[in-house]
Amino acid sequence: KHAWDRLIQLSGNVMRDYQTIQPYLQEVIMSGQRTQRATTEAGIVWEFVKTINGQEIVVTGIELATKAFQIADAWIKTR
């Protein structure tokens, strides 16, 4: 559904697969192009986009009042 198999070899173990994609998520959030999508009671909704290994990765999430970032969704953009 989220096309992560285009970037990594999925194991079928959800926890292991999340641990494998986590560094990619962090890189996208830390150095990707950031666009504000909305403001909610919970905080600002951001979308981050970065191409890594030829795959465009999109991460959305909410920046909470504590400045923590809660990921809402992340996927490989398919054309």
Side-chain angles (χ1 to χ4, degrees):
K1 172 181 168 182
H2 288 84
W4 286 106
D5 59 325
R6 297 178 73 176
L7 185 64
I8 65 165
Q9 184 173 356
L10 296 172
S11 70
N13 178 305
V14 175
M15 289 303 294
R16 185 177 304 139
D17 291 341
Y18 177 76
Q19 289 174 341
T20 303
I21 67 170
Q22 201 283 327
Y24 296 105
L25 301 177
Q26 184 174 355
E27 184 175 343
V28 172
I29 292 167
M30 298 302 291
S31 63
Q33 180 181 342
R34 181 169 88 164
T35 304
Q36 184 175 339
R37 292 294 177 206
T39 301
T40 68
E41 290 182 16
I44 299 171
V45 178
W46 293 100
E47 178 180 89
F48 300 86
V49 179
K50 183 171 183 172
T51 300
I52 301 174
N53 296 337
Q55 301 298 324
E56 188 173 16
I57 302 170
V58 181
V59 178
T60 60
I62 298 173
E63 182 179 357
L64 305 172
T66 60
K67 297 298 180 193
F69 185 77
Q70 182 177 355
I71 295 173
D73 203 355
W75 64 93
I76 303 291
K77 190 171 184 179
T78 57
R79 304 199 190 320

